[in-house]
Structure formats: C-alpha cells, structure tokens
Amino acid sequence: MRLKRESYLAKIRPYYDIDLIKVITGIRRAGKSILMETIRDELTERGVKGDHIIYMNLEEMDYDYISNARDLHEDVKTRVRDGERYYVFLDEVQHVKDFEKALASFRASMNVSLFVTGSNSTLLSGELASLLTGRTVEFEVLPFSFSEMKEYYELNNRPFEDDMIYDYLKWGGFPLRFEFGDEANTMRYIKGLYDSIVTRDIVPKNSRIDRAVFKAISLYILANAGKEFSGENIAAYYNKNSEKSVSARTIYNYLDKMKKAFLLHSVGQYHLSGKASLKGREKYYATDMGLRTINTNTMSYEDTFFLENVVYNELLCQGFTVFTGKTYKSEVDFVAVKDGKKCFIQVSYLLASEDTIRREFEAFSPITDASPKYVISLDKVDMSRQGITHLNVTDFLLHRKELMLS
C-alpha cells in the first residue's frame, strides 16, 4: 500500500538529518509503517545509498533473535561499515527490552539518523527515559483521514464519492480495512485488531488486569465516546449488569491504559469566560470510528457523536489543540487552537428543523469572544447566519474549505 501521508511528512522532513531521534507513535496499524516506508523511499530518491538505509520491523519473526538492547546494538553495528551517515528505521521498537540503551549508544558511537515507531505512549517513559531526555521529537500518527481515504481510492483507480462519508463514519480509517470488500470481513478485521491491541499493548500475559472485564468496559467506552460520563457512572452501569464488580478507580485506570495505547484521546475543558483551560474534567473520543462500531449492534447515523468524533480526529490531523468549550450556561463542542489563534465549533448531524438550527447557532450566544464560529453538519445547503459560518462536513474533511482563526 502506497500513500504519501503528506500532512505528517511535512512535519517530519525538516528532521531527516537533524540529530534527534524521530519517534513516530500511534495506534497499532494506523499507518506508521506506511509512513516509515515513504520516508525510506524519499531518502532513496534523494540519493541515499540503499545499504545506508537499515529497516527492521521488530514484530516480524525475522527478528526474533533480537530480544534486548545488546542484541539490537550488535545487529545494527554489523550493518554500519563506514563513517558516512546511515538512516536506521526500527518499527515497533517497544518489543526490544531496554531499547533506549541501544538508541543512546547508536547516537554516541555512530553517524546515524534514527527513526523509531511504537504503539504505546509509554514508549519513552520510565527508568530509561533519562538516557534520551531532550534527544527526541515525537509525531503521533492517526488512521487515514477522510481526505487520505479519497487519495487512496484514487491512487488505486477506485471510484470515490462524497457520500462515502457514511462508510467512513461507520468503519473509520485503518489502512488495511480498505482491502476488504464486505462488512463482515471488515468487522472481523477490526475486532481482531482491537484484540491484538488489548493483548499486546494493554493486558499482556501475567497482567493483573482481568482481560474479559477490561474488554467489556473498554468497548462500552469506545461505543459511547464523546458523551459525558464519569468513572463512577460507568462502574455503576457495569456492576448493575454483570456478576463481577469494579470500582471507579479501576475505570480511571482502564481509561489511562486506553489513552496510552492510543485507543482514545482525552479532551479537556476550556472555560470561555475565564479564557483558560481547566484540568481534571475530560471527554474522550475514539481514535478510529471502526472501534466504535464493533460494539454497536446497529449504527444510527443520526447519532451526532459519530460525526463529532470524526470532526475531532480531523482537527487533530490538521494540527489543532482541541478543547470542549464551557460557559456558565452551556457548552460549545470544540475550541480549536493553533499558533495562538482559535475558533469555536458546533457539530450537528443534520440541521433538519428550526429547533435544531436555533439550538446549534444559539450555543455561541454566551460567547463574547470575536473569534470565528462554525456549525458543521452533513447539510449541503449553506445555512450561515448572524456572523456564524455553516460548513458541510465533507467540504471540511476534504479541505475544500479551511477554518479561519483569530
């Protein structure tokens, strides 16, 4: 599969030859390997000799003999034969025990540019983190955006229409899922991917966590992402419907592990009156829509939270820092901030009635800030009014219209 993930490449290119370790993180099979392969291809096009590019996918059985930092160091050392610059790509490096020691040694003793990927946000944390403090730059990679889905279809000579937004809302953007032609196999693939994330990144062998309980609760959280809930409420719901019981503390522990495995992103609050972000209160959105769908018996497209989740993920792809906006009287779905500027966003499935239109547009009424305000929906008719811009969601996702900030 070839797709230049240009939004990420534009961020990473300036670092190709800078002496920092390029750490590419993100949920398993989101396309990190595709990005690494593209970087490798670009270096070849720039004239880097093939034997000066070292690429190792440490999940493959070919590298079973590499289990710790010393094994990794010795293997790479045998491939470096001169003093010219080498480009070393280590995919899913977290499988190597104490890998940070090897990375630190590479930087100290070899002329190398290092690129590593991992599927857990604790990749560079813990006791060994001090070895690499100040020596890394991190890029989080998300599954394909809707515009990348369009690009993939066009590169593979497959027809693409705007109405495929409904397919994207349901099944999301994991790259390999586009290889399946029917929903049954797509569902099977995403369920298998979720199981592998739980088994490899969250609840490995000998873990004290009850895997069955974790899966039940995590799937419930994913299916209801974007809705306001608390650990106490989730624990009460689960305990009422299960023979086992969990505490709110356990729920918050699960949420933390889901965030670290990139299943979820948390969104803090931005108090619009005080113009400051608030800590301690968070909403959660699924990293990919397919993870929501695998635990819903039927999907209601009228559920605005699906569309809201897609808009949130797109804002991340576009480099925004995102909050939910709180006033004393109401809530605005998103405050999107970039380069010290911001805008306000409401998301609605369809503006199908005057009551809905009034509710969505009047959500901004308590806000005195003059920053741009947007209502995003599936409607194709422009309903902008009172200085508030209405955007069709596909126009936004396909970058036909960009957000203005102030």
Side-chain angles (χ1 to χ4, degrees):
M1 181 180 292
R2 282 288 179 267
L3 177 65
K4 279 201 170 187
R5 307 202 67 180
E6 191 58 43
S7 62
Y8 297 106
L9 288 167
K11 299 174 186 176
I12 300 174
R13 282 190 187 107
Y15 294 91
Y16 280 4
D17 288 297
I18 292 180
D19 192 22
L20 289 170
I21 300 171
K22 279 66 70 176
V23 182
I24 301 171
T25 58
I27 192 169
R28 188 175 293 275
R29 299 183 208 169
K32 299 189 298 298
S33 297
I34 295 171
L35 186 59
M36 293 266 272
E37 291 167 3
T38 305
I39 294 170
R40 181 181 60 181
D41 293 345
E42 285 196 355
L43 290 170
T44 301
E45 292 169 4
R46 291 184 180 191
V48 177
K49 293 180 287 188
D51 62 352
H52 281 61
I53 298 176
I54 300 170
Y55 189 97
M56 305 166 69
N57 184 340
L58 294 162
E59 280 196 317
E60 294 179 355
M61 290 187 67
D62 289 344
Y63 299 103
D64 275 356
Y65 62 90
I66 297 177
S67 61
N68 56 48
R70 181 168 296 279
D71 294 339
L72 179 60
H73 184 270
E74 291 302 317
D75 189 278
V76 172
K77 187 177 178 180
T78 62
R79 301 168 189 245
V80 175
R81 296 185 172 89
D82 56 49
E84 294 182 14
R85 170 148 291 207
Y86 282 73
Y87 296 82
V88 179
F89 296 83
L90 304 173
D91 208 353
E92 300 296 349
V93 72
Q94 75 275 2
H95 293 294
V96 177
K97 184 180 179 182
D98 297 343
F99 66 87
E100 294 99 329
K101 290 182 179 179
L103 301 186
S105 179
F106 295 154
R107 291 185 72 259
S109 61
M110 304 176 190
N111 182 12
V112 296
S113 179
L114 290 166
F115 300 78
V116 302
T117 77
S119 300
N120 197 299
S121 65
T122 59
L123 185 68
L124 293 173
S125 64
E127 294 180 3
L128 295 175
S130 59
L131 288 172
L132 302 177
T133 299
R135 303 176 185 179
T136 65
V137 57
E138 183 174 352
F139 308 89
E140 182 186 347
V141 176
L142 295 169
F144 282 2
S145 65
F146 190 53
S147 63
E148 287 178 320
M149 174 181 172
K150 178 176 182 289
E151 183 182 352
Y152 169 78
Y153 270 69
E154 291 172 345
L155 285 172
N156 288 277
N157 299 312
R158 293 164 62 176
F160 181 90
E161 299 177 352
D162 283 8
D163 283 350
M164 294 180 75
I165 183 62
Y166 296 101
D167 174 80
Y168 186 78
L169 278 169
K170 186 171 186 178
W171 297 113
F174 282 118
L176 286 179
R177 78 94 172 165
F178 298 110
E179 302 295 316
F180 299 98
D182 60 87
E183 291 201 340
N185 282 320
T186 301
M187 173 74 85
R188 191 175 296 113
Y189 165 72
I190 297 177
K191 280 187 173 180
L193 174 56
Y194 164 80
D195 286 340
S196 73
I197 292 169
V198 172
T199 301
R200 297 187 183 190
D201 300 326
I202 303 177
V203 192
K205 291 180 180 179
N206 303 319
S207 172
R208 295 180 179 180
I209 296 175
D210 186 313
R211 184 173 297 170
V213 174
F214 176 85
K215 290 179 69 172
I217 291 174
S218 63
L219 285 170
Y220 173 81
I221 291 170
L222 288 166
N224 291 279
K227 299 179 182 179
E228 287 193 353
F229 56 73
S230 68
E232 289 76 10
N233 290 341
I234 296 174
Y237 174 84
Y238 180 80
N239 295 341
K240 181 179 179 180
N241 295 278
S242 174
E243 295 180 356
K244 297 183 178 180
S245 63
V246 296
S247 66
R249 182 177 179 179
T250 297
I251 299 297
Y252 288 118
N253 180 45
Y254 287 179
L255 283 167
D256 182 62
K257 290 185 178 299
M258 292 174 72
K259 288 166 58 179
K260 288 177 178 176
F262 300 104
L263 286 168
L264 293 174
H265 284 100
S266 61
V267 189
Q269 290 185 358
Y270 191 101
H271 200 288
L272 296 171
S273 299
K275 296 183 180 179
S277 60
L278 299 176
K279 296 182 179 179
R281 296 181 180 181
E282 296 178 323
K283 292 175 70 174
Y284 299 88
Y285 287 96
T287 302
D288 186 79
M289 304 308 296
L291 295 170
R292 298 188 61 140
T293 300
I294 58 174
N295 197 43
T296 52
N297 295 327
T298 58
M299 178 181 170
S300 171
Y301 288 113
E302 288 77 8
D303 185 347
T304 294
F305 289 110
F306 279 85
L307 195 65
E308 193 176 303
N309 205 142
V310 166
V311 170
Y312 172 77
N313 288 345
E314 176 64 25
L315 289 169
L316 293 187
C317 285
Q318 293 189 23
F320 286 93
T321 301
V322 187
F323 303 92
T324 57
K326 279 288 186 181
T327 68
Y328 291 117
K329 296 181 180 180
S330 61
E331 178 179 290
V332 175
D333 289 332
F334 300 123
V335 181
V337 182
K338 184 193 291 186
D339 299 327
K341 299 179 179 180
K342 65 181 177 298
C343 67
F344 306 107
I345 299 170
Q346 278 289 100
V347 181
S348 178
Y349 172 72
L350 284 173
L351 301 172
S353 67
E354 282 300 321
D355 286 343
T356 303
I357 294 171
R358 189 180 307 110
R359 181 184 70 245
E360 299 299 339
F361 281 83
E362 289 184 357
F364 301 111
S365 59
I367 303 173
T368 57
D369 191 312
S371 297
K373 302 171 181 66
Y374 295 91
V375 173
I376 298 177
S377 75
L378 283 160
D379 299 277
K380 296 181 179 180
V381 176
D382 188 345
M383 299 188 191
S384 302
R385 61 190 66 192
Q386 301 169 344
I388 300 168
T389 303
H390 171 245
L391 290 181
N392 171 261
V393 70
T394 55
D395 286 342
F396 169 63
L397 297 175
L398 296 177
H399 305 167
R400 295 169 184 155
K401 294 185 179 180
E402 303 291 339
L403 299 178
M404 300 295 291
L405 306 173
S406 69

